[in-house]
Amino acid sequence: MLPTWVSCLFRPPNENDCMIEQTPRERPINLLVKASGYSSILFVILILFFLLREGLPAVASADLSSLFGTIWYPIEGYYGIWPLLFGSIIVTITAILIAIPLGIGTSLYISEVAPVWIKNILKPIIEILAGLPSVVLGFIGIQVAAPLLREGLNLPTGLSGLTGAILLAFIATPTVVSISEDALNTVPASYRQAALALGATRWQTLWNITLPAAKSGVLTAVMLGIGRAIGETMAVMMVTGNAPVMPHGLDAIFLPIRTMTATIASEMGEVATGSPHYQVLFFIGIILFLFSLTINVVASWVSTRGLKRSERSLS
Amino acid sequence: MKWRILPLFLGLCLLLAGCAADSGNPTPELTSVYIQNKGSDTIVNLALAWAERYQTLRPDVRLSVTGGGSGTGITSLINGTVDIANASRAIKPEEIKAAEANGIEPVEHVIARDAIAVIVNPQNPVDELTLDQISRIYRGEITNWKEVGGEDRPIVRLSRETNSGTHVYFLEAVVRLGNSNDKTIFSPLTLLLPSSEGIISEVASNPNAIGYDGLGYVTDEVKMIAVSRGKDQPYVLPSIQSVNDQSYPIARDLYMYSRQDSSQAVLDYLEWILSAEAQQIVADLGFVPVQTAQ
């Protein structure tokens, strides 16, 4: 028999035996927990306020034709953000195209196929990969990945968007794996048993039953992986070559690229507070903020929408 | 309990006072002075070597040296967060204006000279280029090594980030060939690498690459290009000698900026930097001394 508090965790809180009365000693702790919860909301609002206050004047001070131009060379007053925007988007999309099959495949293997002992080895290793500092990955990228790609694909230089995308894929994959593996684990065993009992093969069960049942969780994993990739700074700054080239086609991924995050990181140190350059860098920060806001909103929309549907199907 | 520590504490005080008196230090202050020094990545190794030597001479002075780029150093001086800014380019008029608005009057000191070496991969058969050819490579007008007598390979241009004084100097002296009315900028295909070491390592591994770096940073893994001012002028390799006799065309002064109302410790340090002993360190690190040692 489980203790009361454990069973209460799995029950709706309005059941009478779960209503725990607040004692005077608990009250300060309660307040503290509440305060830390609300403070994170407060911090997000403050960050947004600060970003808008520092960044929005850029629209006025660096004139718009310059801001939406195609040349980024801030020390001469060229503040065209398109090359940076496209640079970030191209690198992130390529990274996520690598990370999705890799991440979902790994999570399917770990949760559905692998024997227990392999699972026990793989999971901690992937968690270590998630905790690897990106500067270490960047160093590996410069020393190993860039020369290999240059020789293998006969590129002019290995410091290209592709090298950055591959590193970002390695950074995003652990996020995708751990979240989609959690989602796969929540699929009730009865689904699989029913499928197997009806004569489906293991692959048919996995592909047609388990994965679709965990769809919302897997999509959330993908969205959070995108969020992880677009916000990454250090690794891309080290390996993408940072040339603010305006992309002209899909082959831009094989050329050097400059991302928004790398631009902020490498230039924020030199700007005088309040100068147009400073404001434009914060403006780029606003764009990044909007990106990650969109990604998070879509991720939570996807997961709650999926929840309602599964609730519907269970009822 | 509390009183048992007191004699120990008093003893420690006496011991420390004794040490300070023993060091034979001429300054009346016994407390140590703290000098913050920040800026150019070109100068950072030199500044570190100076700081280490100076602290053995003057144990009462503590120096903290950081890099980050000339722009970063000058911005810090303007914001009043450092005592001395290192810069591999002269301060800009708008930076002086910004400093004066903050009540700081920057004072310039030329502390060494530096040659900027143009470097390529050792496999690259090109040995010499004119200033004009280098300029056209970085403007994006020359895009293949065969146009300057090399193999049929694309040229990959490497540069430091825009906050680097070396970048600004190279833009003005080489890309624009010293013409201040010229508003040309680097080709957008130029790779902007965050460090001098990054440029050396990419040039060392990539036969398509061309880069530039301070003479003090050049290693054996890369090949230096002999540069001439024009087609019929002599091609000269960068060295201390060719900078001193002004035959090497891409050389510049290195600066430290302090504020007008600097403390005596900062003034002493800046004076020591121009001494024969400190300028010997300049030569040891591959830079060019400003005063010949007496």
Side-chain angles (χ1 to χ4, degrees):
Chain A
M1 195 54 207
L2 290 166
T4 331
W5 69 270
V6 175
S7 57
C8 280
L9 285 181
F10 297 104
R11 260 186 244 177
N14 54 358
E15 274 187 42
N16 282 339
D17 52 2
C18 289
M19 291 294 278
I20 301 162
E21 214 155 285
Q22 205 176 337
T23 66
R25 281 187 62 186
E26 281 169 358
R27 202 157 292 148
I29 298 176
N30 223 314
L31 270 174
L32 203 70
V33 172
K34 210 178 260 179
S36 50
Y38 284 121
S39 67
S40 63
I41 300 176
L42 182 73
F43 287 144
V44 172
I45 291 173
L46 284 177
I47 288 171
L48 181 64
F49 171 74
F50 185 70
L51 271 178
L52 291 177
R53 197 193 63 181
E54 303 292 325
L56 279 186
V59 181
S61 61
D63 61 304
L64 284 175
S65 60
S66 160
L67 198 58
F68 294 102
T70 57
I71 301 174
W72 175 262
Y73 197 69
I75 56 175
E76 293 285 324
Y78 295 99
Y79 298 114
I81 55 174
W82 285 122
L84 313 178
L85 198 63
F86 282 120
S88 275
I89 291 174
I90 287 176
V91 172
T92 307
I93 288 178
T94 316
I96 214 70
L97 286 181
I98 303 170
I100 286 175
L102 202 65
I104 295 179
T106 312
S107 62
L108 277 175
Y109 178 73
I110 291 181
S111 108
E112 307 294 314
V113 184
V116 177
W117 67 273
I118 292 186
K119 199 179 193 167
N120 287 344
I121 298 172
L122 274 183
K123 277 200 81 168
I125 289 181
I126 286 166
E127 271 147 31
I128 289 173
L129 194 63
L132 212 59
S134 55
V135 66
V136 175
L137 274 174
F139 186 70
I140 296 173
I142 286 184
Q143 296 295 331
V144 182
L148 272 179
L149 283 172
R150 176 170 53 79
E151 277 154 32
L153 300 175
N154 199 20
L155 301 175
T157 171
L159 300 176
S160 64
L162 185 63
T163 318
I166 290 173
L167 287 196
L168 282 185
F170 271 99
I171 290 167
T173 300
T175 312
V176 178
V177 171
S178 61
I179 296 172
S180 58
E181 203 235 325
D182 284 348
L184 289 168
N185 281 340
T186 57
V187 175
S190 56
Y191 281 32
R192 295 177 199 115
Q193 288 157 358
L196 293 170
L198 288 171
T201 62
R202 254 178 110 180
W203 168 252
Q204 285 167 335
T205 312
L206 196 147
W207 192 250
N208 297 320
I209 305 295
T210 319
L211 194 57
K215 197 170 81 182
S216 67
V218 171
L219 283 175
T220 311
V222 169
M223 295 310 291
L224 292 177
I226 295 175
R228 182 81 179 79
I230 202 163
E232 173 53 39
T233 309
M234 201 58 215
V236 290
M237 187 158 104
M238 289 169 80
V239 301
T240 53
N242 297 324
V245 192
M246 191 67 194
H248 290 292
L250 284 177
D251 61 337
I253 191 69
F254 298 112
L255 296 174
I257 265 175
R258 190 178 181 91
T259 63
M260 296 189 284
T261 47
T263 305
I264 296 178
S266 62
E267 293 175 11
M268 194 49 106
E270 62 160 317
V271 296
T273 313
S275 64
H277 187 187
Y278 174 89
Q279 290 164 345
V280 172
L281 288 181
F282 270 96
F283 187 76
I284 297 173
I286 296 176
I287 296 175
L288 273 172
F289 186 86
L290 290 180
F291 263 99
S292 60
L293 192 71
T294 315
I295 289 162
N296 277 303
V297 166
V298 172
S300 74
W301 176 70
V302 160
S303 59
T304 51
R305 189 191 60 159
L307 195 77
K308 274 172 198 142
R309 188 190 292 150
S310 64
E311 275 168 1
R312 237 181 289 138
S313 67
L314 283 175
S315 63
Chain B
M1 276 303 279
K2 225 189 251 175
W3 296 107
R4 217 182 285 168
I5 308 174
L6 191 67
L8 193 73
F9 179 70
L10 282 175
L12 201 67
C13 284
L14 281 172
L15 196 72
L16 283 174
C19 285
D22 276 349
S23 61
N25 164 359
T27 33
E29 299 154 306
L30 287 177
T31 49
S32 67
V33 196
Y34 194 62
I35 301 178
Q36 289 264 29
N37 181 201
K38 184 175 186 174
S40 167
D41 286 323
T42 309
I43 304 177
V44 70
N45 285 345
L46 178 60
L48 273 172
W50 275 337
E52 274 169 27
R53 179 72 64 82
Y54 195 66
Q55 283 175 29
T56 63
L57 300 172
R58 291 279 300 267
D60 59 316
V61 178
R62 295 186 53 206
L63 280 147
S64 130
V65 179
T66 39
S70 302
T72 312
I74 292 175
T75 305
S76 307
L77 185 76
I78 293 170
N79 294 336
T81 55
V82 297
D83 302 298
I84 303 173
N86 303 333
S88 56
R89 60 166 171 81
I91 193 167
K92 296 178 195 160
E94 59 264 33
E95 287 169 333
I96 296 179
K97 221 173 280 169
E100 280 165 354
N102 279 4
I104 290 165
E105 203 178 317
V107 184
E108 182 176 290
H109 312 266
V110 175
I111 46 129
R113 287 177 63 74
D114 183 27
I116 294 179
V118 177
I119 51 177
V120 295
N121 190 276
Q123 285 177 38
N124 192 327
V126 175
D127 288 319
E128 43 188 43
L129 292 169
T130 65
L131 269 183
D132 185 57
Q133 282 174 322
I134 300 172
S135 164
R136 285 171 57 205
I137 287 174
Y138 273 97
R139 289 162 183 244
E141 291 162 14
I142 297 180
T143 57
N144 195 304
W145 281 110
K146 71 180 176 197
E147 294 172 58
V148 289
E151 293 166 344
D152 182 12
R153 286 175 174 281
I155 298 181
V156 172
R157 307 159 192 87
L158 308 176
S159 164
R160 290 286 313 282
E161 275 283 357
T162 49
N163 61 347
S164 149
T166 318
H167 176 103
V168 176
Y169 173 79
F170 199 81
L171 173 71
E172 286 164 1
V174 182
V175 178
R176 294 174 178 170
L177 295 168
N179 178 356
S180 55
N181 296 324
D182 193 344
K183 289 287 164 223
T184 323
I185 55 174
F186 280 88
S187 153
L189 282 162
T190 308
L191 275 65
L192 302 175
L193 301 188
S195 68
S196 294
E197 288 83 0
I199 292 181
I200 298 281
S201 88
E202 175 67 4
V203 170
S205 68
N206 189 345
N208 305 323
I210 182 170
Y212 61 87
D213 234 330
L215 188 56
Y217 278 95
V218 176
T219 64
D220 296 339
E221 301 165 282
V222 297
K223 185 172 79 174
M224 291 195 278
I225 292 278
V227 182
S228 84
R229 289 192 163 84
K231 251 207 156 109
D232 0 289
Q233 312 255 347
Y235 289 88
V236 184
L237 277 169
S239 68
I240 291 182
Q241 215 209 314
S242 62
V243 171
N244 270 337
D245 64 20
Q246 309 206 329
S247 56
Y248 186 71
I250 322 174
R252 57 176 172 170
D253 292 334
L254 300 178
Y255 306 90
M256 278 188 174
Y257 288 93
S258 61
R259 39 198 294 179
Q260 184 70 56
D261 51 348
S262 291
S263 66
Q264 188 58 40
V266 171
L267 295 177
D268 287 348
Y269 180 55
L270 288 167
E271 192 181 325
W272 175 79
I273 278 174
L274 294 178
S275 71
E277 183 190 12
Q279 289 295 315
Q280 182 56 45
I281 299 176
V282 172
D284 293 344
L285 288 178
F287 295 99
V288 181
V290 279
Q291 285 180 349
T292 42
Q294 289 94 2

Short mmCIF file of all heavy atoms in Angstrom, two decimals, chain A residues 135-179:
data_model
loop_
_atom_site.label_atom_id
_atom_site.label_comp_id
_atom_site.label_asym_id
_atom_site.label_seq_id
_atom_site.Cartn_x
_atom_site.Cartn_y
_atom_site.Cartn_z
N VAL A 135 31.59 25.25 -25.94
CA VAL A 135 32.91 25.70 -26.38
C VAL A 135 33.80 24.49 -26.68
O VAL A 135 34.64 24.53 -27.59
CB VAL A 135 33.53 26.67 -25.35
CG1 VAL A 135 33.82 25.96 -24.06
CG2 VAL A 135 34.76 27.31 -25.88
N VAL A 136 33.58 23.39 -25.94
CA VAL A 136 34.34 22.17 -26.21
C VAL A 136 33.96 21.61 -27.57
O VAL A 136 34.82 21.25 -28.39
CB VAL A 136 34.07 21.12 -25.10
CG1 VAL A 136 34.75 19.81 -25.43
CG2 VAL A 136 34.54 21.64 -23.77
N LEU A 137 32.63 21.57 -27.84
CA LEU A 137 32.18 21.12 -29.15
C LEU A 137 32.74 22.02 -30.26
O LEU A 137 33.13 21.55 -31.32
CB LEU A 137 30.66 21.13 -29.21
CG LEU A 137 29.97 19.88 -28.69
CD1 LEU A 137 28.47 20.08 -28.67
CD2 LEU A 137 30.31 18.70 -29.57
N GLY A 138 32.78 23.32 -29.98
CA GLY A 138 33.29 24.26 -30.97
C GLY A 138 34.75 23.98 -31.29
O GLY A 138 35.18 24.03 -32.45
N PHE A 139 35.50 23.65 -30.25
CA PHE A 139 36.91 23.34 -30.45
C PHE A 139 37.08 22.09 -31.31
O PHE A 139 37.89 22.07 -32.25
CB PHE A 139 37.57 23.15 -29.07
CG PHE A 139 39.04 22.97 -29.14
CD1 PHE A 139 39.86 24.03 -29.49
CD2 PHE A 139 39.63 21.75 -28.88
CE1 PHE A 139 41.23 23.86 -29.56
CE2 PHE A 139 40.98 21.57 -28.96
CZ PHE A 139 41.79 22.63 -29.30
N ILE A 140 36.27 21.06 -31.00
CA ILE A 140 36.30 19.85 -31.83
C ILE A 140 35.92 20.21 -33.26
O ILE A 140 36.50 19.71 -34.22
CB ILE A 140 35.33 18.79 -31.26
CG1 ILE A 140 35.80 18.36 -29.86
CG2 ILE A 140 35.25 17.58 -32.18
CD1 ILE A 140 34.84 17.46 -29.14
N GLY A 141 34.94 21.11 -33.39
CA GLY A 141 34.49 21.53 -34.72
C GLY A 141 35.62 22.16 -35.52
O GLY A 141 35.82 21.83 -36.70
N ILE A 142 36.40 23.05 -34.88
CA ILE A 142 37.49 23.72 -35.59
C ILE A 142 38.58 22.72 -35.95
O ILE A 142 39.08 22.70 -37.07
CB ILE A 142 38.10 24.84 -34.70
CG1 ILE A 142 37.16 26.04 -34.66
CG2 ILE A 142 39.46 25.26 -35.21
CD1 ILE A 142 37.73 27.19 -33.88
N GLN A 143 38.93 21.87 -35.00
CA GLN A 143 40.08 21.00 -35.20
C GLN A 143 39.78 19.78 -36.06
O GLN A 143 40.63 19.32 -36.80
CB GLN A 143 40.65 20.55 -33.84
CG GLN A 143 41.20 21.68 -32.99
CD GLN A 143 42.40 22.35 -33.62
OE1 GLN A 143 43.15 21.74 -34.35
NE2 GLN A 143 42.58 23.63 -33.35
N VAL A 144 38.56 19.24 -35.94
CA VAL A 144 38.25 17.98 -36.62
C VAL A 144 37.23 18.16 -37.74
O VAL A 144 37.51 17.86 -38.91
CB VAL A 144 37.73 16.93 -35.60
CG1 VAL A 144 37.47 15.62 -36.31
CG2 VAL A 144 38.72 16.75 -34.47
N ALA A 145 36.04 18.69 -37.38
CA ALA A 145 34.94 18.72 -38.35
C ALA A 145 35.26 19.63 -39.54
O ALA A 145 35.05 19.25 -40.69
CB ALA A 145 33.66 19.18 -37.67
N ALA A 146 35.81 20.84 -39.28
CA ALA A 146 36.02 21.79 -40.38
C ALA A 146 37.02 21.25 -41.43
O ALA A 146 36.71 21.25 -42.62
CB ALA A 146 36.47 23.14 -39.82
N PRO A 147 38.21 20.77 -41.03
CA PRO A 147 39.12 20.23 -42.06
C PRO A 147 38.55 19.01 -42.79
O PRO A 147 38.69 18.89 -44.01
CB PRO A 147 40.36 19.82 -41.25
CG PRO A 147 40.30 20.60 -40.00
CD PRO A 147 38.86 20.80 -39.71
N LEU A 148 37.81 18.14 -42.05
CA LEU A 148 37.21 16.96 -42.69
C LEU A 148 36.20 17.37 -43.76
O LEU A 148 36.19 16.83 -44.87
CB LEU A 148 36.51 16.10 -41.64
CG LEU A 148 37.35 15.06 -40.93
CD1 LEU A 148 36.51 14.31 -39.90
CD2 LEU A 148 37.91 14.08 -41.95
N LEU A 149 35.33 18.34 -43.41
CA LEU A 149 34.30 18.76 -44.36
C LEU A 149 34.92 19.45 -45.56
O LEU A 149 34.46 19.30 -46.69
CB LEU A 149 33.31 19.70 -43.68
CG LEU A 149 32.29 19.03 -42.77
CD1 LEU A 149 31.51 20.07 -42.01
CD2 LEU A 149 31.34 18.18 -43.61
N ARG A 150 35.99 20.26 -45.31
CA ARG A 150 36.62 20.97 -46.41
C ARG A 150 37.20 19.98 -47.41
O ARG A 150 37.00 20.11 -48.62
CB ARG A 150 37.72 21.89 -45.90
CG ARG A 150 38.50 22.58 -47.01
CD ARG A 150 39.40 23.65 -46.45
NE ARG A 150 40.28 23.16 -45.40
CZ ARG A 150 41.38 22.46 -45.62
NH1 ARG A 150 41.75 22.17 -46.84
NH2 ARG A 150 42.13 22.05 -44.62
N GLU A 151 37.88 18.94 -46.88
CA GLU A 151 38.48 17.97 -47.80
C GLU A 151 37.42 17.04 -48.39
O GLU A 151 37.43 16.75 -49.59
CB GLU A 151 39.56 17.17 -47.08
CG GLU A 151 40.88 17.91 -47.07
CD GLU A 151 41.77 17.52 -45.90
OE1 GLU A 151 41.71 16.35 -45.47
OE2 GLU A 151 42.53 18.39 -45.41
N GLY A 152 36.48 16.59 -47.55
CA GLY A 152 35.48 15.63 -48.00
C GLY A 152 34.55 16.20 -49.07
O GLY A 152 34.23 15.54 -50.04
N LEU A 153 34.11 17.43 -48.88
CA LEU A 153 33.16 18.03 -49.82
C LEU A 153 33.83 18.99 -50.79
O LEU A 153 33.16 19.62 -51.60
CB LEU A 153 32.05 18.77 -49.06
CG LEU A 153 31.22 17.91 -48.11
CD1 LEU A 153 30.25 18.78 -47.33
CD2 LEU A 153 30.43 16.87 -48.90
N ASN A 154 35.16 19.13 -50.69
CA ASN A 154 35.92 20.02 -51.55
C ASN A 154 35.40 21.46 -51.47
O ASN A 154 35.15 22.11 -52.49
CB ASN A 154 35.90 19.50 -52.99
CG ASN A 154 37.01 20.12 -53.80
OD1 ASN A 154 37.98 20.62 -53.24
ND2 ASN A 154 36.86 20.12 -55.11
N LEU A 155 35.20 21.95 -50.25
CA LEU A 155 34.74 23.32 -50.05
C LEU A 155 35.94 24.26 -49.98
O LEU A 155 37.04 23.82 -49.66
CB LEU A 155 33.98 23.42 -48.72
CG LEU A 155 32.74 22.53 -48.55
CD1 LEU A 155 32.20 22.68 -47.15
CD2 LEU A 155 31.68 22.92 -49.57
N PRO A 156 35.73 25.56 -50.27
CA PRO A 156 36.85 26.50 -50.12
C PRO A 156 37.34 26.55 -48.67
O PRO A 156 38.52 26.63 -48.41
CB PRO A 156 36.26 27.85 -50.52
CG PRO A 156 34.97 27.56 -51.18
CD PRO A 156 34.54 26.18 -50.81
N THR A 157 36.40 26.51 -47.71
CA THR A 157 36.80 26.51 -46.31
C THR A 157 35.84 25.66 -45.49
O THR A 157 34.66 25.57 -45.82
CB THR A 157 36.86 27.93 -45.72
OG1 THR A 157 37.07 27.81 -44.31
CG2 THR A 157 35.60 28.71 -45.96
N GLY A 158 36.37 25.02 -44.45
CA GLY A 158 35.52 24.20 -43.59
C GLY A 158 34.73 25.03 -42.61
O GLY A 158 33.81 24.54 -41.97
N LEU A 159 35.10 26.32 -42.43
CA LEU A 159 34.36 27.18 -41.51
C LEU A 159 33.10 27.65 -42.23
O LEU A 159 33.07 28.72 -42.81
CB LEU A 159 35.22 28.36 -41.08
CG LEU A 159 36.51 28.00 -40.37
CD1 LEU A 159 37.33 29.23 -40.07
CD2 LEU A 159 36.22 27.27 -39.08
N SER A 160 32.06 26.82 -42.22
CA SER A 160 30.87 27.11 -43.01
C SER A 160 29.62 26.86 -42.19
O SER A 160 29.68 26.32 -41.08
CB SER A 160 30.85 26.22 -44.24
OG SER A 160 30.74 24.88 -43.83
N GLY A 161 28.48 27.26 -42.77
CA GLY A 161 27.21 27.02 -42.11
C GLY A 161 26.98 25.55 -41.81
O GLY A 161 26.44 25.19 -40.77
N LEU A 162 27.44 24.68 -42.71
CA LEU A 162 27.21 23.24 -42.51
C LEU A 162 27.92 22.74 -41.26
O LEU A 162 27.34 21.99 -40.47
CB LEU A 162 27.70 22.47 -43.75
CG LEU A 162 27.43 20.98 -43.73
CD1 LEU A 162 25.95 20.70 -43.71
CD2 LEU A 162 28.07 20.30 -44.92
N THR A 163 29.17 23.16 -41.07
CA THR A 163 29.90 22.75 -39.87
C THR A 163 29.14 23.20 -38.62
O THR A 163 28.99 22.43 -37.66
CB THR A 163 31.31 23.36 -39.85
OG1 THR A 163 31.85 23.27 -41.16
CG2 THR A 163 32.21 22.64 -38.90
N GLY A 164 28.65 24.46 -38.66
CA GLY A 164 27.88 24.97 -37.54
C GLY A 164 26.63 24.15 -37.32
O GLY A 164 26.28 23.81 -36.19
N ALA A 165 25.94 23.80 -38.43
CA ALA A 165 24.70 23.05 -38.32
C ALA A 165 24.93 21.67 -37.72
O ALA A 165 24.15 21.21 -36.91
CB ALA A 165 24.05 22.93 -39.69
N ILE A 166 26.04 21.05 -38.11
CA ILE A 166 26.32 19.72 -37.57
C ILE A 166 26.57 19.80 -36.06
O ILE A 166 26.04 19.02 -35.28
CB ILE A 166 27.53 19.09 -38.30
CG1 ILE A 166 27.11 18.73 -39.73
CG2 ILE A 166 28.03 17.84 -37.57
CD1 ILE A 166 28.24 18.27 -40.61
N LEU A 167 27.33 20.81 -35.65
CA LEU A 167 27.58 20.98 -34.21
C LEU A 167 26.28 21.27 -33.48
O LEU A 167 26.02 20.72 -32.41
CB LEU A 167 28.56 22.12 -33.96
CG LEU A 167 30.01 21.89 -34.30
CD1 LEU A 167 30.87 22.94 -33.63
CD2 LEU A 167 30.46 20.51 -33.86
N LEU A 168 25.44 22.14 -34.08
CA LEU A 168 24.17 22.47 -33.44
C LEU A 168 23.30 21.23 -33.34
O LEU A 168 22.58 21.05 -32.36
CB LEU A 168 23.43 23.54 -34.25
CG LEU A 168 23.91 24.96 -34.08
CD1 LEU A 168 23.01 25.90 -34.85
CD2 LEU A 168 23.90 25.34 -32.62
N ALA A 169 23.35 20.37 -34.36
CA ALA A 169 22.57 19.14 -34.31
C ALA A 169 23.00 18.30 -33.12
O ALA A 169 22.17 17.73 -32.42
CB ALA A 169 22.73 18.36 -35.61
N PHE A 170 24.32 18.26 -32.87
CA PHE A 170 24.79 17.50 -31.72
C PHE A 170 24.34 18.14 -30.41
O PHE A 170 24.14 17.44 -29.42
CB PHE A 170 26.33 17.41 -31.74
CG PHE A 170 26.79 16.21 -32.50
CD1 PHE A 170 27.20 16.32 -33.81
CD2 PHE A 170 26.79 14.96 -31.90
CE1 PHE A 170 27.61 15.21 -34.52
CE2 PHE A 170 27.20 13.85 -32.59
CZ PHE A 170 27.61 13.96 -33.91
N ILE A 171 24.20 19.47 -30.42
CA ILE A 171 23.76 20.14 -29.21
C ILE A 171 22.26 19.93 -29.00
O ILE A 171 21.79 19.77 -27.88
CB ILE A 171 24.13 21.64 -29.28
CG1 ILE A 171 25.64 21.78 -29.18
CG2 ILE A 171 23.44 22.43 -28.20
CD1 ILE A 171 26.16 23.15 -29.53
N ALA A 172 21.48 19.92 -30.11
CA ALA A 172 20.02 19.81 -29.99
C ALA A 172 19.58 18.37 -29.78
O ALA A 172 18.54 18.14 -29.17
CB ALA A 172 19.36 20.40 -31.23
N THR A 173 20.34 17.40 -30.30
CA THR A 173 19.90 16.00 -30.24
C THR A 173 19.58 15.50 -28.82
O THR A 173 18.53 14.90 -28.61
CB THR A 173 20.93 15.08 -30.92
OG1 THR A 173 21.05 15.50 -32.27
CG2 THR A 173 20.50 13.64 -30.89
N PRO A 174 20.46 15.74 -27.82
CA PRO A 174 20.13 15.23 -26.49
C PRO A 174 18.80 15.75 -25.96
O PRO A 174 18.06 15.01 -25.32
CB PRO A 174 21.30 15.73 -25.62
CG PRO A 174 22.40 15.98 -26.56
CD PRO A 174 21.78 16.39 -27.85
N THR A 175 18.49 17.03 -26.25
CA THR A 175 17.20 17.59 -25.84
C THR A 175 16.07 16.81 -26.49
O THR A 175 15.11 16.40 -25.83
CB THR A 175 17.11 19.07 -26.28
OG1 THR A 175 18.30 19.72 -25.90
CG2 THR A 175 15.92 19.75 -25.67
N VAL A 176 16.18 16.60 -27.81
CA VAL A 176 15.14 15.88 -28.53
C VAL A 176 15.01 14.47 -27.98
O VAL A 176 13.90 13.98 -27.72
CB VAL A 176 15.47 15.85 -30.05
CG1 VAL A 176 14.41 15.07 -30.81
CG2 VAL A 176 15.58 17.25 -30.61
N VAL A 177 16.14 13.81 -27.76
CA VAL A 177 16.11 12.42 -27.29
C VAL A 177 15.43 12.33 -25.93
O VAL A 177 14.49 11.55 -25.76
CB VAL A 177 17.54 11.83 -27.20
CG1 VAL A 177 17.50 10.48 -26.50
CG2 VAL A 177 18.15 11.70 -28.56
N SER A 178 15.86 13.14 -24.98
CA SER A 178 15.34 12.91 -23.63
C SER A 178 13.85 13.25 -23.55
O SER A 178 13.10 12.54 -22.89
CB SER A 178 16.16 13.67 -22.58
OG SER A 178 16.09 15.03 -22.83
N ILE A 179 13.40 14.32 -24.25
CA ILE A 179 11.98 14.66 -24.15
C ILE A 179 11.11 13.67 -24.93
O ILE A 179 10.07 13.23 -24.45
CB ILE A 179 11.74 16.11 -24.62
CG1 ILE A 179 12.47 17.06 -23.69
CG2 ILE A 179 10.25 16.43 -24.62
CD1 ILE A 179 12.48 18.48 -24.15
#
